[in-house]
Amino acid sequence: LGFRLDRDTFIATATAIGLCVYGSRMHIYLYTHGAQLPDMMTAIAIATAGVIAGTLCGGRVLQRIPEAAFRRVVAVLLAILGVALLARAS
């Protein structure tokens, strides 16, 4: 929010960062839990369908939210997350 990115750029940047983080973790997950992967295919398929549906629905909802309201919602959610993390740490 501090860089004054527009809504779409902000979300694209957050998504790219998330993909990089999880992409770097995948080899560890496969190494440590690779044998369990066939047993988890149903859960993986459901999660994948949820991600696709959430992306499609979220894109439509996002277009309806004004830029200023989006910034306020993100700021409030970040503040809540920060307080929750601080509360858990103590």
Side-chain angles (χ1 to χ4, degrees):
L1 290 175
F3 290 111
R4 297 282 184 208
L5 299 174
D6 64 276
R7 167 181 57 209
D8 294 335
T9 304
F10 178 82
I11 290 174
T13 303
T15 302
I17 291 168
L19 287 172
C20 289
V21 169
Y22 282 102
S24 67
R25 293 179 180 177
M26 286 308 296
H27 69 281
I28 295 169
Y29 295 152
L30 290 173
Y31 178 76
T32 58
H33 300 292
Q36 299 167 353
L37 195 59
D39 297 334
M40 295 187 282
M41 289 312 267
T42 301
I44 291 170
I46 292 170
T48 301
V51 166
I52 292 169
T55 300
L56 295 174
C57 294
R60 291 186 181 134
V61 169
L62 184 63
Q63 295 305 318
R64 295 181 183 156
I65 299 173
E67 186 87 25
F70 173 78
R71 289 185 176 285
R72 276 188 241 117
V73 168
V74 171
V76 168
L77 291 174
L78 287 173
I80 290 170
L81 178 62
V83 170
L85 290 172
L86 286 172
R88 275 186 109 186
S90 54

